Amino acid sequence: MPNVAGVVRPDRERDPLAGLDPEQRAAAGAPRGPVCVLAGAGTGKTRTITHRIAHLVRAGHVSANQVLAVTFTARAAGELRDRLRRLGVEGAQARTFHAAALRQLRYFWPRVVGDTPWELLDHKIRLVGRAAATLDLPTEVEVVRDLAGEIEWAKASLVGPEDYPAVAARRGRDVGHPAEKVAELYRTYERAKNDRRLLDFDDLLLHTTAAVEEHRSVADEFRERYRCFVVDEYQDVTPAQQRLLDAWLGGRDDVTVVGDANQTIYSFGGASPRPLLDFTRRYPDATVVRLERDYRSSPQVVALANRVIGAARGRPAGSRLTLVGQRPDGPEPAFSEHPDEEAEAAAVAARVDELIGAGTDAGEIAVLFRVNAQSEAYEKALSERDVPYVVRGGERFFARTEIRRAMAALRTAAARPEEGSAPASGAGEGDGLVRVVREVLSREGLTARAPSGGAARERWNGLRALLDLAEDLAATSDNATLARYVAELEQRASAQHPPEVGGVTLASLHAAKGLEWDAVFLVGLADGTVPIQHADTDEAIEEERRLFYVGVTRAREHLSLSWSLARTPGRRAHRRRSRFLQGLVPDDHPASRVRGRRGGGAPKPVCRVCGAPLLSTMDVKLGRCGRCPADVDTDLLARLQEWRRERARELNVPPFVVFTDATLSAIAEQRPTDESALVSIAGIGATKVERFGGEVLAVVRSSPDQGDTSVGR
Ligand code: ATP
Ligand code: MG
């Protein structure tokens, strides 16, 4: 394993603890040993760990090259690397779990396996499809994708084919095929993969873990090399990743974890916030810090975020804290409803254009959606307005022809001794680097001014991003040579971490985790998209809610939330806005007006989720139509029933005289927080409120997940 000497630039930043608030400082400045930061979005978790690394290195507790920081997406790992470099820490590893495992496996493989070569299997769909065909399972792409996802879940959960049927039954997994059959598919796929000497992404974790666990010399060398571990976004750790982390630690406890259980968005893939929430049980001496100050977003965005997550249920919700916005006031979040997706995209593009015109940098704007297929409408609408954009998630930057050519040219230049080595100091090695890179790139088509629009503009943006990276390196690093720059490019290419390409970011909500922009557009917020159609259990809906929360909390200042009623122009407007917007869209918003109410007379009761008229008495009581999914808090319902039983006994009346079943269900579903919310529930009049209101509200408020958490001191 290459042993890059760790370098700290003392001039880069004063004391790394100086730019932190007291709680952040407590975590960052804690002595070596277990540290857990459990906090909401934008509270500075990532900032805390980067400053902690800088502090430990600066204070001489550990050398930078003994630090391994891991996270979950290539983008987030890149963000960690960038922030560390800005703090003057060089040589610390910041990678995704998979990238770290890949690197270690390549290094240790000859020792543990010998010279049998292997290759990485990028996508398992084809191999799973072939295995499905031999087992008479359907081979349509959607089915195979689901089955491949299930195999991934099993591997991430450390469940082998033999155990799969039992575990799948216990966990209520259902992919529409008998578990025995799925297990057979899993076994067949594994065999086919091994026969071809292929490793899939899940294998990287499993094999690396095995290498460290089972080979003493590997473990010794690894543990000598890495001594300090940091995990960002720890709420999304899978059992396979946790096992690898444990193997790395080998019983040591120099581990800092940070996360937010309310941002758990990969449970469907086997991730669980449990290790985060149970951290102190495992390390009773851990330093635990909770952060509440939100440094990222305006108070208006923070208020909305608090309301979104305030509606969450389940164990992760137990760890939530109310965020307190620290930034100056900003505009209220904007809500808009559109007839169809095209109109929505056009309106968003127009608003983006307006923001850019008013001085917001295009790179500080993001359009976030639930599924990648939604991207296209926005690519089109932004192109029509000549607004540059970058699509995240695909990360195909380094595969682009002009980038490959430019890199080849830069590599050639770096190989020439007079350009590749470090220029003398003084006039600035960085200046020298930027000059050489500009010369090389101008031969590849980088002009001083950007061409307008289309493919030429996109090519130009790519080359310009390479030059920006050189400027960035020159400004932040001591030895900014061309060779060093090319090495950085190679590293980014292998980590799929493209440089910032000036333009509006188009990304999925999943890919946006950990990132932030001045202006964020959350689009396509219709039921069936957010939450996604196939989220059909309470847990799945909660995960979708957390994903929505991740989206809301990406915005610093401008936040726009929009949805459309039909997919394409002229189609029937059968969509409804996302149920997560319930209670968020202001009452005086045009989209909040009761649809279909005409003329005078008493307002007809309508579904509070979709706005459709309510016809049956039960629906009227619940305040929602039968087509909209129930959102009853079953624990609360049980407690309400218990309360009603006791009250009825005291009053010596049948329970329904206190409240009917339908009314109790409606309370458990709507969770009123004050008397006005209570009285708005059908079946509860002024008399009932007067007699029972206080008690009912107390039962609602006593919800155990307000205080259910095992972390904290
Ligand atoms: P997420 O949960 O979304 O990953 P996070 O908790 O990791 O969020 P950071 O990204 O570290 O939050 O911080 C959010 C923003 O607030 C960043 O721009 C960061 O620089 C800034 N910030 C954090 N702490 C402070 C502080 N003490 N003073 C000033 N700015 C801060
Ligand atoms: Mg973060």
Side-chain angles (χ1 to χ4, degrees), residues 452-486:
S452 68
R457 172 62 183 259
E458 205 169 315
R459 278 197 296 276
W460 187 91
N461 280 345
L463 296 175
R464 176 69 227 187
L466 293 181
L467 181 61
D468 287 346
L469 198 65
E471 288 175 352
D472 195 35
L473 189 70
T476 57
S477 185
D478 258 347
N479 53 344
T481 62
L482 186 57
R484 174 85 207 291
Y485 166 73
V486 169

Side-chain angles (χ1 to χ4, degrees), residues 383 385-388 447 449-458 460-461:
S383 298
R385 290 188 163 262
D386 211 9
V387 173
T447 49
R449 283 175 56 116
S452 68
R457 172 62 183 259
E458 205 169 315
W460 187 91
N461 280 345

Side-chain angles (χ1 to χ4, degrees), residues 257-452:
V257 299
V258 306
D260 175 6
N262 288 295
Q263 291 185 69
T264 306
I265 54 174
Y266 286 103
S267 325
F268 69 88
S272 162
R274 200 167 282 272
L276 173 70
L277 297 172
D278 290 345
F279 192 78
T280 45
R281 226 170 266 169
R282 180 160 179 196
Y283 299 104
D285 297 332
T287 302
V288 180
V289 170
R290 287 159 168 274
L291 309 171
E292 282 176 295
R293 280 182 282 262
D294 182 323
Y295 293 97
R296 173 180 296 144
S297 309
S298 70
Q300 286 70 17
V301 172
V302 171
L304 188 77
N306 280 332
R307 289 171 71 189
V308 169
I309 207 63
R313 295 282 166 271
R315 182 158 188 218
S319 67
R320 74 186 154 219
L321 295 174
T322 303
L323 297 173
V324 186
Q326 303 295 302
R327 286 174 53 107
D329 277 336
E332 284 296 335
F335 297 87
S336 59
E337 181 176 279
H338 304 273
D340 53 70
E341 279 181 12
E342 215 172 275
E344 185 182 357
V348 165
R351 179 73 187 120
V352 165
D353 215 358
E354 218 173 270
L355 284 170
I356 295 173
T360 305
D361 194 291
E364 283 304 338
I365 301 175
V367 177
L368 307 180
F369 34 75
R370 176 64 181 85
V371 290
N372 287 323
Q374 291 171 273
S375 182
E376 200 183 318
Y378 293 87
E379 291 171 44
K380 224 169 120 218
L382 291 169
S383 298
E384 272 165 16
R385 290 188 163 262
D386 211 9
V387 173
Y389 62 82
V390 253
V391 184
R392 275 245 194 291
E395 315 297 29
R396 307 199 59 80
F397 181 83
F398 289 101
R400 281 157 53 173
T401 315
E402 71 278 12
I403 301 300
R404 284 214 314 267
R405 283 190 43 176
M407 283 194 39
L410 288 162
R411 238 178 259 126
T412 310
R416 283 196 292 271
E418 70 279 11
E419 287 180 347
S421 59
S425 55
E429 53 200 27
D431 294 349
L433 169 69
V434 174
R435 183 180 45 75
V436 175
V437 171
R438 185 178 285 121
E439 271 168 27
V440 173
L441 294 180
S442 66
R443 288 197 289 274
E444 298 300 317
L446 180 65
T447 49
R449 283 175 56 116
S452 68

Side-chain angles (χ1 to χ4, degrees), residues 300-301 304-305 308 331-338 344 347-348 351 366 368 378 509 519-526 530 548-549 551-553 555 557-564 577-578 580-582 584-586 589 591:
Q300 286 70 17
V301 172
L304 188 77
V308 169
E332 284 296 335
F335 297 87
S336 59
E337 181 176 279
H338 304 273
E344 185 182 357
V348 165
R351 179 73 187 120
L368 307 180
Y378 293 87
L509 290 165
V520 168
F521 291 81
L522 299 181
V523 301
L525 298 177
V530 181
F548 178 49
Y549 175 67
V552 167
T553 53
E557 201 180 336
H558 300 277
L559 176 62
S560 149
L561 304 100
S562 59
W563 61 96
S564 46
R577 72 180 183 219
S578 168
F580 299 148
L581 294 170
Q582 173 62 29
L584 303 181
V585 185
H589 189 275

Side-chain angles (χ1 to χ4, degrees), residues 41 45 97 204 231 433 479 549 571 576 665:
K45 295 182 296 298
F97 268 103
L204 295 179
V231 191
L433 169 69
N479 53 344
Y549 175 67
R571 291 278 288 275
R576 320 164 187 145
S665 294

Side-chain angles (χ1 to χ4, degrees), residues 128 137-138 140-154 164-165 168-169 171-186 268-269 534 536-537:
V128 173
L137 277 160
E140 289 89 20
V141 83
E142 296 79 26
V143 180
V144 174
R145 197 180 300 129
D146 285 354
L147 291 167
E150 191 62 5
I151 293 175
E152 268 166 23
W153 171 82
Y164 176 81
R171 306 267 187 93
R173 306 288 299 184
D174 179 12
V175 274
H177 301 278
E180 293 293 348
K181 198 81 182 168
V182 177
E184 211 179 325
L185 176 75
Y186 181 5
F268 69 88
H534 55 71
D536 51 7
T537 60

Side-chain angles (χ1 to χ4, degrees), residues 118-121 127 192-194 196-200 203:
W118 58 277
E119 270 180 60
L120 189 61
L121 176 64
L127 218 49
K193 174 173 62 61
N194 295 344
R196 291 171 174 75
R197 299 190 196 297
L198 294 168
L199 297 188
D200 63 20
D203 290 332

